[in-house]
Amino acid sequence: AVIVSDFHEAPGLCGRSLTVVMVSHNIDTLRKLCNRMIWLHEGELKMYGEVNEVLDEYLKFMEEDDKDN
């Protein structure tokens, strides 16, 4: 696994056979650079899967959370 501390490093890692750990709330960057992802909420695994499916569920969750607050 590789931990990326600078997003400028990430594009050069794509397409290689390795696991890259990225932590971000930048939806556009995640959609561009990732193909699978883990969504953690309050330290618990909320969802794992294809990046667009996980992000779509995350955005729905955040929208509902905003309505509740």
Side-chain angles (χ1 to χ4, degrees), residues 14-30:
C14 294
R16 294 174 51 191
S17 295
L18 49 92
T19 300
V20 177
V21 177
M22 294 176 60
V23 178
S24 178
H25 289 100
N26 185 319
I27 302 299
D28 292 332
T29 297
L30 292 170

Side-chain angles (χ1 to χ4, degrees), residues 15-67:
R16 294 174 51 191
S17 295
L18 49 92
T19 300
V20 177
V21 177
M22 294 176 60
V23 178
S24 178
H25 289 100
N26 185 319
I27 302 299
D28 292 332
T29 297
L30 292 170
R31 285 192 198 273
K32 186 189 313 183
L33 297 178
C34 302
N35 54 11
R36 300 197 62 76
M37 70 183 310
I38 295 171
W39 168 20
L40 299 174
H41 180 71
E42 296 181 352
E44 299 289 327
L45 177 64
K46 191 82 170 162
M47 190 174 179
Y48 168 74
E50 193 274 328
V51 67
N52 289 317
E53 291 174 12
V54 176
L55 286 173
D56 290 346
E57 290 301 314
Y58 169 77
L59 292 171
K60 287 180 201 173
F61 175 85
M62 294 305 293
E63 185 176 301
E64 287 299 315
D65 190 52
D66 283 347
K67 288 179 186 176

Side-chain angles (χ1 to χ4, degrees), residues 1-13:
V2 175
I3 298 175
V4 176
S5 59
D6 181 350
F7 281 120
H8 299 293
E9 299 173 27
L13 299 172

